[in-house]
Amino acid sequence: MELLDQRSLSLIPRWVRWVVLALLLLATALSAAFALWLTLDHGSDSLAVAVLSIFKASAIGTALWFFFMIGQSAQSRADLLRRTSKILTVEIPASLRLYAQPDEIEAERNRNSERHATPDKADVRVDHAPGTVHARYTIRWPGINGAITLRAHLNVKVLSVVYFFPTADVQALKSAFEGTLAASRNMGWVDEYTGVQNQRHVHCADEFTELWLRTKLSSDFLHEPTEILFVTNDLAAMTRSIIISWSRRYVAADS
């Protein structure tokens, strides 16, 4: 681990960074004052040289630490937003497409279905503005008519998702998702809200049901590929279970 690497520096608490800077400034000021006193009082030349060496080292250390703190402050936001955008636009859609691949039984059932034509692979459309921490996904699942909307909000320490379903039958959805949500809770997801909303200008439907879930992330999440893979795959697996549960109720209602 390099001491002045931005990633390493970000792991140091902010108050520790300021304490280190204060100590370096104090060492610089004291060594400068002591060197000046030795010069004016005609002290030992060897001692003066030693104090000047301390002054130079502390002054250089102060300057480096100060500029790296400035760099951390200036670059960390852009770096975090860049990493966040990559997760929202690349990692999550990739996991969704991976988990949407039907197994052989599902593929055969989809081919033999007499219902309306359905896609044979997942279509995940992403709506994300660079520099923001949220994205909207329109998901068309293999073998399932219609599309499900998913919104994700990634604020470094928490990932929140909202699923939208074109129905006002909340109790039926809660019954359909009972097993899925129980399994999700065991994986650290918390279901915060399930309710009916009416915003036609948003979803082109008179009424729809929202399902809100969130999970806490580790402090290394944005920087650790294994953590990113685990969370995005977990989200994709949960989404698969939710969409399949929804489709079973949807098919039953349309039959």
Side-chain angles (χ1 to χ4, degrees):
M1 180 184 295
E2 297 181 7
L3 178 61
L4 295 179
D5 178 69
Q6 290 292 342
R7 168 71 180 119
S8 303
L9 187 59
S10 67
L11 299 177
I12 302 175
R14 185 181 297 274
W15 68 270
V16 174
R17 301 180 211 170
W18 283 107
V19 168
V20 171
L21 180 61
L23 292 175
L24 287 171
L25 286 171
L26 180 61
T28 302
L30 290 177
S31 59
F34 191 34
L36 182 62
W37 178 80
L38 288 173
T39 301
L40 295 177
D41 200 42
H42 305 289
S44 170
D45 291 341
S46 59
L47 182 57
V49 171
V51 173
L52 284 174
S53 298
I54 295 174
F55 168 74
K56 291 179 181 179
S58 59
I60 293 173
T62 300
L64 287 174
W65 192 258
F66 178 73
F67 282 115
F68 270 94
M69 285 186 64
I70 293 177
Q72 178 67 23
S73 177
Q75 297 177 22
S76 60
R77 177 176 175 81
D79 180 59
L80 292 176
L81 288 175
R82 182 170 58 253
R83 291 174 183 270
T84 297
S85 290
K86 182 179 179 181
I87 292 171
L88 292 172
T89 59
V90 178
E91 303 293 347
I92 290 179
S95 291
L96 289 171
R97 294 186 182 98
L98 176 64
Y99 275 77
Q101 294 180 1
D103 56 29
E104 293 183 3
I105 296 178
E106 288 176 327
E108 184 64 25
R109 183 172 63 247
N110 295 340
R111 286 192 293 268
N112 295 334
S113 175
E114 296 181 358
R115 294 176 58 81
H116 303 295
T118 58
D120 57 0
K121 62 180 180 179
D123 179 17
V124 182
R125 299 186 180 182
V126 184
D127 182 11
H128 170 72
T132 64
V133 295
H134 51 79
R136 176 178 175 178
Y137 308 91
T138 303
I139 308 171
R140 295 184 179 275
W141 210 260
I144 298 176
N145 289 312
I148 297 297
T149 299
L150 166 65
R151 285 186 176 178
H153 182 87
L154 177 58
N155 67 351
V156 180
K157 294 184 178 180
V158 177
L159 173 60
S160 302
V161 296
V162 183
Y163 296 90
F164 299 90
F165 302 94
T167 180
D169 194 345
V170 178
Q171 292 304 319
L173 281 179
K174 286 185 176 180
S175 299
F177 298 150
E178 184 176 356
T180 297
L181 294 181
S184 298
R185 293 187 197 104
N186 293 333
M187 296 300 292
W189 290 88
V190 178
D191 47 305
E192 296 183 307
Y193 171 80
T194 305
V196 177
Q197 301 291 335
N198 189 333
Q199 297 182 16
R200 185 178 181 85
H201 65 284
V202 176
H203 294 282
C204 300
D206 291 332
E207 290 183 316
F208 59 93
T209 298
E210 294 180 352
L211 173 61
W212 298 10
L213 299 104
R214 64 175 173 83
T215 186
K216 291 184 178 181
L217 305 172
S218 70
S219 58
D220 290 339
F221 172 72
L222 292 180
H223 303 276
E224 293 294 337
T226 53
E227 289 287 333
I228 295 173
L229 182 63
F230 173 79
V231 173
T232 55
N233 279 358
D234 190 35
L235 171 61
M238 181 176 67
T239 301
R240 175 187 174 92
S241 297
I242 286 175
I243 291 181
I244 290 177
S245 298
W246 153 252
S247 71
R248 288 171 180 167
R249 177 209 169 273
Y250 177 77
V251 171
D254 285 356
S255 299

